[in-house]
Amino acid sequence: MDVTADKHSVGLVAPHTARFDESLRLKSGAAIGGYELVYEIYGKLNADRSNAVLVCHALNASHHAAGRYAGDPDNVGWWDNMIGPGKPLDTNRFCVIGVNNLGGCFGSTGPQSINPATGRAWGADFPVVTVEDWVNTQARLADHLGIRRFAAVMGGSLGAMQALSWTIQYPERIGHALVIACAPNLSAQNIAFNEVARQAIITDPEFHDGHYYEHNTKPARGLRVARMVGHITYLSDDEMASKFGRQLRHGKLNYSFDAEFEIESYLRHQSHKFSDYFDANTYLRITKALDYFDPAAEHGGNLTLALEPATASFLIVSFTTDWRFSPERSREIIKALLDNRRDVTYAEIDAPHGHDAFLLDDARYHRLVASYYDRIGKEIAV
Amino acid sequence: MDVTADKHSVGLVAPHTARFDESLRLKSGAAIGGYELVYEIYGKLNADRSNAVLVCHALNASHHAAGRYAGDPDNVGWWDNMIGPGKPLDTNRFCVIGVNNLGGCFGSTGPQSINPATGRAWGADFPVVTVEDWVNTQARLADHLGIRRFAAVMGGSLGAMQALSWTIQYPERIGHALVIACAPNLSAQNIAFNEVARQAIITDPEFHDGHYYEHNTKPARGLRVARMVGHITYLSDDEMASKFGRQLRHGKLNYSFDAEFEIESYLRHQSHKFSDYFDANTYLRITKALDYFDPAAEHGGNLTLALEPATASFLIVSFTTDWRFSPERSREIIKALLDNRRDVTYAEIDAPHGHDAFLLDDARYHRLVASYYDRIGKEIAV
């Protein structure tokens, strides 16, 4: 496809790198001496720099949220259906920023980067990072770009946790939070699935206690199992049933341990793709950031108190068949915001796809987001 | 505890072994030349041998369904709360038989047994076995014991699939089927979780293509991950939340990859226990038997046609919070039975525990089973 012919695409994009030399204190108590963040920008900052929107990524995504790269035209941004000229997040009006989080594996400083203290890759020594740490690094990136206040911060899933945390950590720097397919913390079941993923990776003999780069290998088998577990939780039972059901690959049972059902083949294929491009140390840290996120914890479990500092307006969206972060979990956030008399718009989208619905091109969902951005655009007159 | 003092326990029990020399044709087309089954018996066969009840086991259980062993008093039968004098399945009235399925790892012929063709352990060469194969071996065991007809065949989960298959394969040899926490086949999501478990085992370098016995090792890491995945699906989200929630092991976060949340510690502990006593080749085969079970498949997906031969009476029980085999799946079976005008009693038990509820001592559930056996007892006058 010729992207220059697609008038709703941001077209060809290129990543930028920002260097931060000042040491950053992390929530764990550790500090990181200096780091780089990779980011992309779609659309233009207006004169008073009031039209910036930060898009936060979830588990396996990156700064590459929209458009394509000149040398790699198949690598379309992960939220390309949402971001672009005339799309729900309209780059004709808004200046959109995507950033690869600290600890990531797509160019920002992470476990694969060189640890200046040793001259070798950080590996297992890279610190554990949290949602709050990411928000702090994103605020520094905003400083670097001369953005005092975001018109909106937006994300789905773990990205939504960052948007929510922005409203608590930097209430004066965020106008709106778009919190999609989110939860105020992980349930025991959510943590359990993450722990399965971690154990699959950590017990892979190729993991070498996290220093596998030095051994010129990687725990691909563990990472694949981890991805398969995750993948199942992103899809609804119904969606899997309608997409795969009990369909056989070769029309009949073979009574072997090859992939016999289509769902097996699909999961194997997806997990292999994933293990080719994703780093296991990053995966481990991102699942930990998910487990740790719990803004209410510092307030005795009281989410209302935790959200008291937030002054942003909120769009909260959940999906009926999301069993990872069900609509009930979004309603916990809404209740806490309403307790604080905050401005909240909520929609529960009747979508069959499960948690992954936030990434998909659902007409009602996209119309809702478009109209919410229309409201933001009117407020800041863009 | 002194078991002789517990008047509701079957007390000390001992396993028996039955040898079958006649070759058995398996559903896969393969044949197994001869095999042994290990079984236990609780209670006494009456004069006309009409009071026998077969109890079929699910994934990780065995023939040891009730009582204790003299040398190993902590090894209590897996359904001991259900089976015993005065218990719902009352061994004062019924003669209860538990059997370790073919391919198992508790004494019946399985992957750890010696393959007569090679003089070495079967390992990966042990055939794939199905629910239908197990029922055939159980029928041979009944012949061996002089039992022409079971008063009832009973099981939960995969055990329930065997009870259901009994009504189709040997309708004249079964009076009642107690089909608990069952499904007429696995959903794509169910298969997906099984496939994660299998991939964890098969890609463990210690698996050695299933011939790990010869290498004096076992794929313990893979088997642990497999067990963790399974375990999560046996419990309800709510049960996990109330048992573990986000409780920390040491009161505060450590920002490490040690077990920090109680749920992590619990899963690790359970999975280690499991990998000590269970065989990975058996686990692989049992998950395959689950995937394959689908009596409707040979009738173009029509479960009503598949169940047409069944003449047994049915007690079907599901549990509200079972998300592995939800009540909806039981209702599919009921609909097919009612289409055939069969005698069906159904109860959906409001229990918080998820799939594992079938193993637990829930008062309403046990009263229901007790009263159903009371009816069976009256019919056969025991």
Side-chain angles (χ1 to χ4, degrees):
Chain A
M1 178 182 176
D2 178 6
V3 291
T4 56
D6 178 3
K7 66 184 167 111
H8 295 300
S9 169
V10 299
L12 295 177
V13 299
H16 310 279
T17 300
R19 169 91 205 153
F20 301 87
D21 288 319
E22 199 189 332
S23 167
L24 179 75
R25 187 85 179 170
L26 301 170
K27 198 179 178 188
S28 66
I32 185 156
Y35 57 92
E36 293 183 346
L37 294 181
V38 173
Y39 64 98
E40 290 180 11
I41 298 194
Y42 325 114
K44 286 201 167 65
L45 263 183
N46 58 3
D48 62 357
R49 301 178 173 219
S50 65
N51 70 334
V53 173
L54 177 68
V55 169
C56 303
H57 70 77
L59 211 150
N60 64 325
S62 72
H63 54 287
H64 185 37
R68 295 163 192 253
Y69 296 136
D72 186 9
D74 292 337
N75 186 355
V76 182
W78 59 273
W79 224 349
D80 192 73
N81 61 29
M82 181 68 86
I83 303 162
K87 288 184 179 169
L89 176 42
D90 188 345
T91 49
N92 289 330
R93 303 173 82 181
F94 294 98
C95 174
V96 179
I97 295 144
V99 55
N100 185 213
N101 283 332
L102 184 69
C105 53
F106 294 108
S108 291
T109 299
Q112 291 170 302
S113 309
I114 298 301
N115 178 354
T118 63
R120 294 178 306 160
W122 280 95
D125 299 328
F126 195 84
V128 168
V129 283
T130 65
V131 167
E132 290 81 0
D133 297 329
W134 288 334
V135 169
N136 286 334
T137 63
Q138 290 159 2
R140 284 190 177 183
L141 178 64
D143 295 341
H144 173 84
L145 297 172
I147 297 163
R148 202 194 58 80
R149 186 175 195 260
F150 283 111
V153 179
M154 178 185 193
S157 191
L158 176 58
M161 290 173 172
Q162 295 161 59
L164 189 61
S165 212
W166 259 96
T167 71
I168 301 171
Q169 292 176 251
Y170 297 98
E172 72 290 356
R173 299 190 71 174
I174 170 174
H176 294 263
L178 286 83
V179 174
I180 302 167
C182 193
N185 60 29
L186 261 59
S187 69
Q189 190 189 69
N190 294 148
I191 296 172
F193 280 123
N194 279 347
E195 173 65 1
V196 173
R198 283 190 294 264
Q199 286 301 308
I201 292 168
I202 288 171
T203 65
D204 184 327
E206 303 296 330
F207 182 63
H208 295 288
D209 291 324
H211 291 292
Y212 47 89
Y213 317 116
E214 297 169 23
H215 293 80
N216 266 317
T217 183
K218 58 183 183 177
R221 290 175 295 238
L223 188 55
R224 285 175 199 145
V225 168
R227 179 59 172 174
M228 289 173 80
V229 176
H231 208 105
I232 298 172
T233 69
Y234 307 149
L235 300 180
S236 73
D237 192 13
D238 283 355
E239 175 74 358
M240 274 199 171
S242 70
K243 245 173 126 167
F244 305 103
R246 295 182 51 82
Q247 219 174 304
L248 296 168
R249 288 194 70 204
H250 304 296
K252 64 177 189 59
L253 296 175
N254 292 319
Y255 299 98
S256 78
F257 294 95
D258 296 337
E260 294 198 80
F261 292 92
E262 288 288 357
I263 180 66
E264 297 175 287
S265 169
Y266 171 80
L267 285 176
R268 287 190 195 181
H269 177 71
Q270 293 295 327
S271 73
H272 274 80
K273 261 178 40 183
F274 186 72
S275 69
D276 285 345
Y277 75 78
F278 210 87
D279 176 60
N281 277 322
T282 290
Y283 199 87
L284 290 175
R285 278 157 184 75
I286 291 185
T287 62
K288 273 290 182 184
L290 276 161
D291 288 4
Y292 289 149
F293 182 70
D294 188 9
E298 285 162 35
H299 301 270
N302 188 325
L303 190 61
T304 300
L305 279 179
L307 283 169
E308 199 273 334
T311 52
S313 295
F314 286 81
L315 175 65
I316 297 186
V317 182
S318 69
F319 299 94
T320 47
T321 56
D322 183 351
W323 62 279
R324 184 178 169 84
F325 296 155
S326 70
E328 288 71 25
R329 304 306 320 269
S330 279
R331 282 189 226 117
E332 292 175 38
I333 301 170
I334 292 159
K335 184 187 176 301
L337 290 170
L338 293 181
D339 285 346
N340 284 304
R341 300 180 170 273
R342 295 296 177 265
D343 173 41
V344 185
T345 303
Y346 174 56
E348 193 173 310
I349 305 283
D350 187 9
H353 316 96
H355 188 62
D356 263 0
F358 86 86
L359 291 167
L360 302 177
D361 191 0
D362 179 285
R364 283 180 294 184
Y365 162 47
H366 275 200
R367 273 203 303 274
L368 173 73
V369 174
S371 87
Y372 195 82
Y373 273 111
D374 198 46
R375 167 185 160 185
I376 301 176
K378 280 174 186 148
E379 283 174 15
I380 59 173
V382 290
Chain B
M1 178 182 176
D2 177 7
V3 291
T4 55
D6 177 3
K7 67 185 167 110
H8 295 301
S9 169
V10 300
L12 295 177
V13 299
H16 311 279
T17 301
R19 169 91 204 153
F20 301 87
D21 288 319
E22 197 189 333
S23 167
L24 178 75
R25 187 84 178 168
L26 301 171
K27 199 179 178 191
S28 66
I32 185 156
Y35 57 92
E36 293 182 348
L37 294 181
V38 173
Y39 63 97
E40 290 180 10
I41 298 193
Y42 325 114
K44 286 203 167 64
L45 263 182
N46 59 4
D48 62 358
R49 301 180 175 220
S50 65
N51 70 334
V53 173
L54 177 68
V55 170
C56 303
H57 71 76
L59 212 150
N60 63 325
S62 72
H63 54 286
H64 185 38
R68 295 164 192 251
Y69 296 138
D72 186 9
D74 292 337
N75 186 355
V76 182
W78 59 273
W79 224 350
D80 192 75
N81 62 28
M82 181 68 85
I83 303 163
K87 288 185 180 169
L89 176 42
D90 187 345
T91 50
N92 288 331
R93 303 172 82 181
F94 294 97
C95 173
V96 179
I97 294 144
V99 56
N100 185 213
N101 283 332
L102 185 68
C105 53
F106 294 108
S108 291
T109 300
Q112 292 171 303
S113 309
I114 297 301
N115 178 354
T118 63
R120 294 179 305 160
W122 280 94
D125 299 329
F126 195 85
V128 167
V129 284
T130 65
V131 167
E132 290 82 0
D133 297 329
W134 288 333
V135 169
N136 285 333
T137 63
Q138 290 159 2
R140 283 190 177 182
L141 179 64
D143 295 341
H144 172 84
L145 298 172
I147 297 162
R148 203 194 57 79
R149 186 176 196 263
F150 284 111
V153 179
M154 178 186 195
S157 190
L158 176 58
M161 290 173 171
Q162 295 161 57
L164 189 62
S165 211
W166 260 95
T167 71
I168 301 171
Q169 291 176 252
Y170 297 99
E172 71 289 355
R173 299 190 71 174
I174 170 173
H176 294 263
L178 286 83
V179 174
I180 302 167
C182 193
N185 61 29
L186 261 59
S187 69
Q189 189 189 71
N190 294 149
I191 296 171
F193 280 124
N194 279 346
E195 174 65 1
V196 173
R198 284 190 293 264
Q199 286 301 307
I201 292 168
I202 288 171
T203 65
D204 184 327
E206 303 296 331
F207 182 63
H208 295 286
D209 290 324
H211 291 292
Y212 47 89
Y213 317 116
E214 298 169 23
H215 293 80
N216 266 318
T217 184
K218 59 183 182 176
R221 289 175 295 237
L223 189 55
R224 285 174 200 147
V225 168
R227 178 59 172 175
M228 288 173 81
V229 176
H231 207 106
I232 298 172
T233 69
Y234 306 149
L235 300 179
S236 72
D237 192 13
D238 283 355
E239 175 74 358
M240 273 198 172
S242 70
K243 245 174 126 166
F244 304 104
R246 295 181 52 82
Q247 218 174 304
L248 295 168
R249 288 193 70 206
H250 303 296
K252 65 176 188 60
L253 296 176
N254 291 319
Y255 300 97
S256 78
F257 294 95
D258 296 337
E260 294 198 81
F261 292 93
E262 287 289 359
I263 181 65
E264 296 175 288
S265 168
Y266 171 79
L267 286 176
R268 287 190 195 181
H269 177 72
Q270 293 296 326
S271 73
H272 274 79
K273 261 177 41 182
F274 186 72
S275 69
D276 285 345
Y277 75 78
F278 210 86
D279 176 60
N281 276 321
T282 290
Y283 198 87
L284 290 175
R285 279 157 184 74
I286 292 185
T287 62
K288 273 291 183 184
L290 276 161
D291 288 4
Y292 289 149
F293 182 69
D294 188 10
E298 285 162 36
H299 302 269
N302 187 325
L303 189 61
T304 299
L305 280 179
L307 283 169
E308 199 274 333
T311 52
S313 295
F314 287 80
L315 174 65
I316 298 187
V317 182
S318 70
F319 300 93
T320 47
T321 56
D322 183 352
W323 62 279
R324 184 178 169 87
F325 296 157
S326 69
E328 288 71 25
R329 304 306 320 269
S330 279
R331 282 188 225 117
E332 292 175 39
I333 301 170
I334 293 159
K335 184 188 176 301
L337 289 169
L338 293 180
D339 285 346
N340 284 305
R341 300 177 171 274
R342 295 296 177 266
D343 173 42
V344 185
T345 302
Y346 174 56
E348 193 174 310
I349 304 282
D350 186 8
H353 317 97
H355 188 61
D356 263 0
F358 85 86
L359 291 167
L360 302 177
D361 190 1
D362 179 284
R364 283 178 295 183
Y365 162 47
H366 274 200
R367 274 203 302 274
L368 173 74
V369 173
S371 86
Y372 195 83
Y373 273 112
D374 198 47
R375 168 186 158 183
I376 301 176
K378 279 174 184 147
E379 283 173 16
I380 58 173
V382 290

